[in-house]
Amino acid sequence: MTLLRRAGAPGALALAVLFSPGMTNAKPIAFAHGTTVMAEYGAGTMRELQVFYAPRYFLSTGLGHLALDSDIDERSRDITYARLNYLLKRWNMESAQANIFGWGSLASATTADDASGRFAWNAGAQLDYETRRIYSSLKSDYYSASTFSHRIDTLQLGVAPYEHDYATLATWFVVQARRYTGEIHEGTEWALLVRLFKRGAWIEAGPTTDGKLQAMFMLNF
Amino acid sequence: MPIRFALLVVASLASSLAGAETIEMKVNGLVCGFCAQGIEKTLRKNPATADVLVSLENRLVAVATKEGQDIPDGELRKALTASGYDVKSIQRTDTPLDALRERLKEHP
């Protein structure tokens, strides 16, 4: 399969840039009438590319592709999906914001043993809370097909060394913990990331405790 | 006489609002550049908008209107709500947006 699998990390990141003239945010919905392009390289275990358009601030829809390589049995899974994201609840506080997002997808999946493109579905949720100095998010993403199912849980905790403003570069140091079910990866994968963003452009990268690269690009425009 | 005085005050206030150059809004939930990006994009679509300034530090969204034009409070609140944010207050001033921008740079 797939474009992402063939492209690898640099290719996935290049694809994100090609898809968009600008870059975006780690929420599935950026802003009303905004387009979000995201590419993630997850330490050799997962690669994901997403393109979403938000007609309203609480709703976005688009396409994505997720490629997984098990480091337990070396089997691969490729899932191409059409997704609907919904902002279930937002709290706008004086100097903070918190959100609950939910999403669902209809998908076509192939595995190393079955290239026929079976029906799959996905559901997920994200909770986040952020100020200009503290960031936290918990995301859970579940996929199911007749031949497999798995869940990816990701926790991120970040601190900013200074408070950025709209026109200045934002810098964050983020600790990420990720767990996979479905015989994809054993144990918890830890990563220490540096996140930089300015206006609509976002890049985040760092090593995992296994010495692999964890990286993400996002564009909002 | 009191009626004349009241009319004068109202006329003066109306004249002051008609000549207002900048609308300053205090907004809750402004914590990152992406928030600001959506708000700026929405407000710039308004035909009466000349320029937009967003300050996360001051939780401030300021709009400079084109000469002789204004954006009603209801429309501003609707635009910010449609962007996913809460407006806490709206104030009109004669301070040009560039002067406000400079002032915030010097005294954030």
Side-chain angles (χ1 to χ4, degrees):
Chain A
M1 108 96 291
T2 84
L3 197 52
L4 275 186
R5 192 171 300 289
R6 286 182 194 142
L13 298 179
L15 277 172
V17 173
L18 283 174
F19 267 98
S20 158
M23 255 174 133
T24 204
N25 132 24
K27 296 178 172 64
I29 308 169
F31 50 78
H33 310 295
T35 300
T36 297
V37 179
M38 188 280 287
E40 180 174 1
Y41 180 79
T45 306
M46 65 90 82
R47 278 149 290 168
E48 189 164 33
L49 179 65
Q50 296 175 328
V51 182
F52 296 135
Y53 173 75
R56 309 289 291 273
Y57 80 90
F58 53 82
L59 181 74
S60 74
T61 185
L63 302 172
H65 184 87
L66 174 66
L68 293 161
D69 288 313
S70 168
D71 58 12
I72 296 173
D73 58 14
E74 296 185 354
R75 290 187 176 185
S76 63
R77 293 169 192 175
D78 285 281
I79 304 164
T80 302
Y81 54 81
R83 177 170 292 178
L84 191 72
N85 300 295
Y86 196 81
L87 173 63
L88 296 165
K89 179 71 181 167
R90 167 169 288 174
W91 292 269
N92 283 318
M93 291 153 270
E94 195 171 284
S95 302
Q97 188 184 80
N99 299 284
I100 302 176
F101 294 96
W103 57 84
S105 310
L106 298 177
S108 172
T110 60
T111 63
D113 304 326
D114 181 4
S116 62
R118 288 181 182 270
F119 171 76
W121 62 272
N122 152 257
Q126 176 176 319
L127 292 82
D128 59 57
Y129 171 86
E130 63 182 306
T131 69
R132 291 167 65 215
R133 295 297 293 271
I134 295 168
Y135 172 80
S136 60
S137 79
L138 177 63
K139 183 168 92 169
S140 188
D141 215 3
Y142 178 77
Y143 289 84
S144 180
S146 59
T147 51
F148 68 83
S149 69
H150 67 256
R151 202 180 73 239
I152 307 171
D153 298 326
T154 308
L155 173 71
Q156 288 194 333
L157 300 171
V159 291
Y162 59 90
E163 291 184 327
H164 74 287
D165 216 309
Y166 184 29
T168 60
L169 179 73
T171 304
W172 289 82
F173 299 109
V174 179
V175 174
Q176 175 175 297
R178 176 172 279 169
R179 287 184 73 90
Y180 296 88
T181 66
E183 298 191 336
I184 293 170
H185 180 82
E186 196 81 53
T188 303
E189 184 184 82
W190 291 90
L192 183 60
L193 310 168
V194 176
R195 172 182 299 167
L196 303 170
F197 65 83
K198 186 174 179 181
R199 292 189 182 263
W202 164 303
I203 183 171
E204 170 183 290
T208 65
T209 45
D210 296 338
K212 294 176 179 171
L213 173 69
Q214 167 68 42
M216 184 171 73
F217 267 142
M218 289 210 323
L219 310 166
N220 255 349
F221 56 96
Chain B
M1 195 64 177
I3 293 173
R4 275 189 194 168
F5 179 73
L7 285 173
L8 270 174
V9 170
V10 169
S12 162
L13 189 63
S15 155
S16 151
L17 290 179
E21 287 185 273
T22 303
I23 305 168
E24 296 182 21
M25 294 175 277
K26 286 285 182 183
V27 178
N28 273 6
L30 273 183
V31 290
C32 73
F34 301 120
C35 318
Q37 196 186 1
I39 290 170
E40 184 182 20
K41 197 173 173 180
T42 301
L43 289 171
R44 283 193 186 278
K45 282 182 186 165
N46 192 301
T49 299
D51 196 5
V52 178
L53 165 69
V54 181
S55 167
L56 305 182
E57 174 70 28
N58 296 279
R59 305 189 303 278
L60 174 73
V61 176
V63 183
T65 52
K66 290 175 183 166
E67 199 173 334
Q69 296 191 40
D70 188 29
I71 306 172
D73 285 8
E75 212 170 306
L76 291 165
R77 285 184 190 279
K78 196 175 164 188
L80 272 288
T81 304
S83 300
Y85 298 90
D86 299 331
V87 181
K88 301 315 286 182
S89 66
I90 301 177
Q91 183 188 351
R92 285 168 172 74
T93 71
D94 290 331
T95 310
L97 199 64
D98 284 340
L100 180 61
R101 194 174 271 127
E102 286 306 310
R103 197 175 74 203
L104 292 178
K105 265 186 199 169
E106 287 165 16
H107 307 286

